[in-house]
Amino acid sequence: MKKKTFITATLTAMLAVSSPLYAGATLTQIALPISQPSTENTEQQQISISHIYETKAEALAINIDGEQIISLLVKELGNYESEILFKVFEDTIFVDNEQGIPANPREISEGDIIYIYGSSAMTRSLPPQSNTFVVLTNLDKKSPARFIEAKEVTIDDKGNAFVIDAAGNYNIHIEDETPIIPYKTRQFVHISDIVNDSRILVWSEIMALSHPAMVPANKVMLLPDKSEAQEVLTDSIIISTKAGVFSINGQEVHPLTGETMFKNDDGVLMVPVRSIAESFGFDVEWKQESLSVSLFRGAQTGTLTIDSKSYGKQKMLVHLDTAPLIVNNRTHVPVDFLREVLNVDVTINDSEV
């Protein structure tokens, strides 16, 4: 009898802390926006204590109003397979789970597998409706990042952080060397920016069988503060391909001597890295021995190597489809380098004016 009791307790503990990617929908108590489904999609969600409903699901339909997605109809995977209509707001977070970067919600297609953190407060309609806090896309390889609101944050004398979530389910261990990245902002973030009430996404492949569960973080994304979720500052550039000039944060910039912009054989727009990066306030260092470039702006860094499709961003590697190359003794990079490595909002203007 004691043996059966021990086995039952062990299985219960394992199920309680298993990854939500495989466990189906789960509930987590946490302080997050909105407690009741809303019919308004143009305003921020209000802040209240609520239960989080998280689920891995297939996108069945995407409802778009103008340029904005206003709802996602999904079918849950796993044990439930029910349909839910999740309402999307301006402050809903969209993240590419594989790359750990902001995702474009307009790129979600019917049939895509996504992971949603939403409110457990649902309507009694068919299908039930709920509000969406975070949507993770590109779930092919990694387990979904955990959506955490920090209740208690402590930092030890080695600079490592320990974060207890609002529900007391997780103890997140963030080492000083763990990559900490922002969401859609040009501000560099550090482990010390994670404080009580911070909202973070945590990537981890290991979780200890304990309560609270010990979770060593592989990577962390610091999300906008709840009260200022709409105030996102982003570097921006308008590339006028016909005129051959850039507008960087509203200021017109001309390429340096020898720099140009062109499309390679694959149709990828290549742009000069030095004049653009320096205009954004980066120091640019060329290293002849390794044919590489290092960029520094405060604590924000980026690196690239000629003919390599792997780029450095803080303490991470970012893989792009196109490698940098040298033209007229100047280094040129694919325009995606600006988006994915330097976190720049890019607009391309192909008109004559």
Side-chain angles (χ1 to χ4, degrees):
M1 186 66 179
K2 291 183 178 179
K3 185 175 182 181
K4 289 183 179 180
T5 302
F6 173 77
I7 293 174
T8 302
T10 302
L11 288 174
T12 302
M14 292 176 66
L15 288 172
V17 298
S18 61
S19 170
L21 177 60
Y22 305 105
T26 58
L27 292 176
T28 305
Q29 189 172 6
I30 194 169
L32 282 168
I34 206 77
S35 59
Q36 296 295 331
S38 169
T39 58
E40 297 294 332
N41 289 81
T42 58
E43 298 180 356
Q44 283 183 273
Q45 305 175 69
Q46 297 176 347
I47 307 300
S48 65
I49 298 294
S50 179
H51 285 80
I52 294 303
Y53 190 88
E54 54 181 283
T55 185
K56 185 181 181 184
E58 176 187 354
L60 298 181
I62 298 95
N63 188 10
I64 299 175
D65 182 11
E67 294 296 318
Q68 182 181 350
I69 291 180
I70 60 174
S71 65
L72 292 166
L73 177 64
V74 304
K75 181 179 73 174
E76 296 186 279
L77 304 180
N79 299 329
Y80 297 94
E81 295 189 354
S82 56
E83 293 185 5
I84 302 175
L85 183 68
F86 282 99
K87 291 184 176 295
V88 176
F89 297 81
E90 290 183 0
D91 57 350
T92 298
I93 304 292
F94 287 85
V95 172
D96 184 311
N97 189 72
E98 180 66 23
Q99 299 188 57
I101 59 176
N104 184 353
R106 294 296 300 273
E107 294 181 356
I108 297 176
S109 302
E110 295 179 8
D112 285 357
I113 305 302
I114 56 180
Y115 201 89
I116 295 178
Y117 291 91
S119 172
S120 64
M122 298 188 185
T123 66
R124 296 185 179 181
S125 59
L126 289 177
Q129 300 180 27
S130 181
N131 294 330
T132 312
F133 307 134
V134 175
V135 178
L136 302 177
T137 66
N138 195 7
L139 299 174
D140 291 341
K141 298 178 181 178
K142 295 181 180 178
S143 298
R146 300 180 187 280
F147 184 29
I148 299 293
E149 182 174 76
K151 178 181 180 181
E152 180 181 343
V153 180
T154 57
I155 298 180
D156 64 17
D157 54 4
K158 296 181 180 179
N160 304 317
F162 297 87
V163 180
I164 302 295
D165 74 303
N169 292 328
Y170 301 113
N171 184 350
I172 311 296
H173 181 201
I174 307 172
E175 294 186 353
D176 181 50
E177 295 299 316
T178 301
I180 312 291
I181 55 178
Y183 177 78
K184 280 189 176 180
T185 174
R186 63 189 179 193
Q187 303 296 327
F188 175 74
V189 292
H190 185 263
I191 195 169
S192 60
D193 294 313
I194 301 175
V195 296
N196 293 352
D197 295 328
S198 289
R199 300 188 306 164
I200 57 177
L201 285 174
V202 178
W203 282 264
S204 177
E205 299 299 326
I206 302 174
M207 182 168 59
L209 293 174
S210 60
H211 188 79
M214 289 292 297
V215 180
N218 297 332
K219 180 168 58 179
V220 175
M221 176 179 283
L222 181 60
L223 302 178
D225 182 83
K226 292 177 297 185
S227 62
E228 300 177 353
Q230 295 297 319
E231 297 183 12
V232 178
L233 299 177
T234 306
D235 281 322
S236 64
I237 181 172
I238 300 175
I239 302 174
S240 299
T241 57
K242 299 294 184 182
V245 297
F246 315 111
S247 175
I248 294 179
N249 290 337
Q251 300 294 318
E252 185 173 297
V253 175
H254 292 266
L256 300 172
T257 302
E259 292 185 336
T260 183
M261 64 181 79
F262 60 93
K263 290 186 178 180
N264 66 10
D265 293 339
D266 296 322
V268 176
L269 180 62
M270 306 292 291
V271 295
V273 68
R274 181 175 289 276
S275 60
I276 293 176
E278 288 182 342
S279 296
F280 281 124
F282 285 89
D283 292 324
V284 180
E285 179 183 343
W286 166 256
K287 298 178 181 179
Q288 180 63 37
E289 64 278 7
S290 58
L291 297 181
S292 63
V293 175
S294 297
L295 298 90
F296 306 91
R297 184 176 65 178
Q300 185 179 0
T301 63
T303 59
L304 60 95
T305 302
I306 300 302
D307 294 331
S308 172
K309 296 181 181 180
S310 296
Y311 298 80
K313 177 181 180 180
Q314 304 310 113
K315 301 170 184 176
M316 302 178 296
L317 280 180
V318 176
H319 299 281
L320 302 180
D321 293 333
T322 306
L325 49 81
I326 296 176
V327 174
N328 299 331
N329 291 322
R330 295 288 189 178
T331 301
H332 293 72
V333 294
V335 71
D336 276 350
F337 173 83
L338 306 181
R339 297 187 178 102
E340 309 299 346
V341 178
L342 301 188
N343 294 337
V344 173
D345 182 22
V346 178
T347 301
I348 299 175
N349 182 4
D350 289 325
S351 64
E352 294 289 345
V353 180

